[in-house]
Amino acid sequence: NVEHAINWPDGRHVLLSVSGVPIRDVSGGIERVVFAFEDVTERKATEQALRESRSEYRWLLESMINAFVVFESVFDEDGTFVSYRFDYINAVYEQVTGVTNEEVRGKTVHEVWPGTEEGWIERYGRVAVTGETDEFEMYHDPTQKMYHCTVYRPWDTSDRFCVVFEDITEQQEMEKQLRRQERPLGGGDGLAEAGVAGEQGL
């Protein structure tokens, strides 16, 4: 089986897949050879375009300034969303979380981080099932970081979804410190403001 490029009489450049089979006589000698030809020009061009597209797609993901991940949905026997499995993470996600694509790909979040809060399952599951984009901030105890997340499903199926992460842990800590510095000291107004801040968990 070989592939051979030829020029058609009309000038087209064609790639042929050629398969040869020997036909033997009763004594075992080769009597003749049968060849089968297939024009694979279009298929090869499609495969090349797909490889280039994937290469460009990966380059775009790796050049993002935010963490990005593709998750596979995990459903139980009743069709309920119960977990999600790592399919791809970019370099920024590796830097933010400390895990690598090779380490986590094919594993569920419960295998990678058993202490993941149920809130993540609920928010992700809603997007995976409904296809409606969600944006929120949530703390992740296993990595001890606060994230701003945009979750979306670019496909028509609930099998996979994507998340763009931004680590806002330091930003939130700075905002808390600024609010503490701006809080007036003494006086009734100060006590009232401190009480409101306490209710907000600041």
Side-chain angles (χ1 to χ4, degrees), residues 69-86:
V69 58
V70 178
F71 286 125
E72 293 180 357
S73 304
V74 178
F75 298 92
D76 63 14
E77 295 179 354
D78 298 326
T80 302
F81 184 96
V82 293
S83 187
Y84 45 96
R85 182 179 293 106
F86 288 88

Side-chain angles (χ1 to χ4, degrees), residues 24-36:
R24 301 182 182 275
D25 56 25
V26 292
S27 62
I30 298 178
E31 186 176 72
R32 63 185 184 276
V33 179
V34 176
F35 289 98

